[in-house]
Amino acid sequence: MLDKLEMVQEQTLSVLRSHLAVGERVALLDFPNHQNSGDSLIWLGEREYLAQVGARIEFACDILRYDRSFINRHAPGTTLLLHGGGNLGDRWTDYQEFRERVITDFPDRKIIQLSQSIEFSEGDRLDRAVDTFSGHPNFSLLLRDSVSMAKARRLFPEVSIDFCPDLALGYGRRQPFGRPATEVVVVKRRDSEAVFSGALYEGAFSETAEYWDWGLSGWKQGAWRAVHVPGGVWRRIPASRPFLKPGLVKIFDLQAKLNVGNAIGILSRGRVVVTDRLHSAVLAMLMSKPVVVLDNANGKISAIFKDYLGSIGSVRFAKDIFEASELADNFVNNM
């Protein structure tokens, strides 16, 4: 009998198979070329799912290495897949503009936006997205929570829309790196999606609690720079691109695994994880860690928690820091 995680994974595979045929040639665009471990986890989950579906990745790039003419010459006829996550909308505008650029650049290609959450306010950016999405004859939008589904059906009634759980879950179960060093590890975001200030966290948990956010340091930062060298050559020497093309996916995988390995190391330090980062909660759950999760500014965490994350593993939702502290103490005291 399948457990809950396996059921969600099978549901995801069923959706992907309805959009992609075995052996279908694809280009996977918008690699998350930064040190956010959550986005890297999504990438690795996407790679696992696409391998199981049987899609053939012929090309991959990030925003800075996107080249329409190169894709036309060296990945002709491929289905274009846009990386999933939580940046569909008007908060993270660079990624939304890139998404719309790709859809506009390839009116004759099949394009699939992999699992996303939606966040739009009324205004010009939304109007442009509606025109761009609706104007493409073969664009599909996959959404990872029911709240986003309801918004999308209202905002984009002419677009093909499907529910597809967060693709990070495709990475599967992971083992911690050794025994915990402390009772509670807090992974706290420091960007515009944060709801509770960092000061509120201080002192709310045990004196031994450790506070982290994503990012590399030490030798890992050096390794990050080293694996960026081929991408730098790609940007500076266009003649090198046909030769570098076969290795780009492998390079991106190395970067993603460096980020996710760093995250596993952080989460391994605690017996319990407290976080307002969705994929810190997802990864900790995949590691069989007890997790207390708080919402972010646009509510994507609570939406996904209600839809499926809350029923996989020991994940509890807290409405504020005080409840998070109580739930973390309960986990610790009952271990």
Side-chain angles (χ1 to χ4, degrees):
M1 180 180 294
L2 298 178
D3 65 20
K4 182 61 178 180
L5 175 60
E6 292 169 332
M7 291 172 63
V8 173
Q9 290 170 335
E10 285 301 314
Q11 178 187 10
T12 304
L13 285 169
S14 177
V15 175
L16 293 175
R17 286 175 177 138
S18 72
H19 288 271
L20 295 167
V22 175
E24 187 163 345
R25 298 164 51 248
V26 303
L28 182 52
L29 310 183
D30 189 15
F31 170 73
N33 205 338
H34 46 69
Q35 294 182 13
N36 183 315
S37 299
D39 287 330
S40 292
L41 185 65
I42 296 171
W43 172 269
L44 294 176
E46 289 169 348
R47 295 278 284 114
E48 291 287 342
Y49 277 132
L50 291 174
Q52 292 181 60
V53 168
R56 293 169 47 201
I57 299 178
E58 293 207 354
F59 179 66
C61 71
D62 61 2
I63 289 179
L64 294 178
R65 270 145 281 271
Y66 173 72
D67 182 336
R68 178 180 61 179
S69 61
F70 185 89
I71 293 173
N72 276 326
R73 290 195 306 273
H74 296 280
T78 52
T79 295
L80 304 182
L81 305 180
L82 295 166
H83 175 65
N87 56 30
L88 198 159
D90 50 13
R91 182 184 294 269
W92 306 105
T93 56
D94 288 349
Y95 298 101
Q96 180 62 24
E97 289 171 0
F98 174 77
R99 179 177 297 115
E100 293 171 9
R101 178 183 174 188
V102 171
I103 294 170
T104 301
D105 281 351
F106 292 96
D108 299 324
R109 296 279 187 108
K110 175 181 171 182
I111 301 177
I112 302 171
Q113 170 60 69
L114 299 175
S115 304
Q116 278 275 347
S117 295
I118 281 187
E119 182 185 14
F120 268 114
S121 302
E122 297 294 331
D124 292 342
R125 289 190 180 276
L126 173 58
D127 293 341
R128 186 168 63 242
V130 170
D131 290 342
T132 303
F133 292 0
S134 302
H136 194 283
N138 198 2
F139 172 66
S140 297
L141 176 58
L142 306 186
L143 296 165
R144 63 187 183 178
D145 64 82
S146 55
V147 173
S148 291
M149 285 288 293
K151 289 179 182 177
R153 285 173 173 153
R154 176 176 58 84
L155 297 174
F156 312 117
E158 299 178 13
V159 174
S160 171
I161 296 170
D162 271 324
F163 180 87
C164 185
D166 191 291
L167 297 179
L169 294 166
Y171 197 46
R173 302 284 185 188
R174 299 288 141 176
Q175 292 298 315
F177 295 160
R179 298 177 61 83
T182 189
E183 289 183 347
V184 177
V185 160
V186 180
V187 179
K188 169 75 178 76
R189 67 186 315 140
R190 295 171 292 186
D191 57 21
S192 66
E193 288 189 36
V195 173
F196 303 103
S197 70
L200 287 176
Y201 283 76
E202 300 295 334
F205 302 96
S206 67
E207 292 182 358
T208 60
E210 296 183 0
Y211 298 84
W212 296 81
D213 197 6
W214 300 145
L216 303 175
S217 60
W219 71 265
K220 296 174 184 176
Q221 186 68 260
W224 178 264
R225 295 192 187 99
V227 294
H228 268 71
V229 170
V233 174
W234 173 285
R235 291 190 67 193
R236 292 174 176 82
I237 308 175
S240 70
R241 294 175 184 177
F243 305 100
L244 292 172
K245 171 180 171 282
L248 276 184
V249 173
K250 293 180 181 179
I251 291 168
F252 291 151
D253 285 348
L254 285 173
Q255 291 178 236
K257 288 177 180 178
L258 187 61
N259 272 338
V260 172
N262 184 64
I264 291 174
I266 291 170
L267 299 176
S268 296
R269 295 188 59 79
R271 296 172 67 193
V272 176
V273 173
V274 178
T275 187
D276 60 354
R277 282 196 174 276
L278 171 62
H279 291 99
S280 174
V282 169
L283 183 55
M285 179 276 296
L286 292 174
M287 296 164 60
S288 300
K289 293 275 185 181
V291 185
V292 179
V293 63
L294 296 116
D295 214 354
N296 70 316
N298 57 26
K300 67 184 179 187
I301 297 178
S302 57
I304 291 173
F305 177 86
K306 291 174 184 176
D307 282 342
Y308 46 88
L309 183 60
S311 62
I312 308 175
S314 299
V315 184
R316 301 291 181 268
F317 185 84
K319 65 179 182 298
D320 55 34
I321 302 296
F322 305 105
E323 185 176 10
S325 177
E326 291 178 3
L327 290 171
D329 286 344
N330 289 339
F331 273 135
V332 169
N333 293 333
N334 288 293
M335 295 177 77

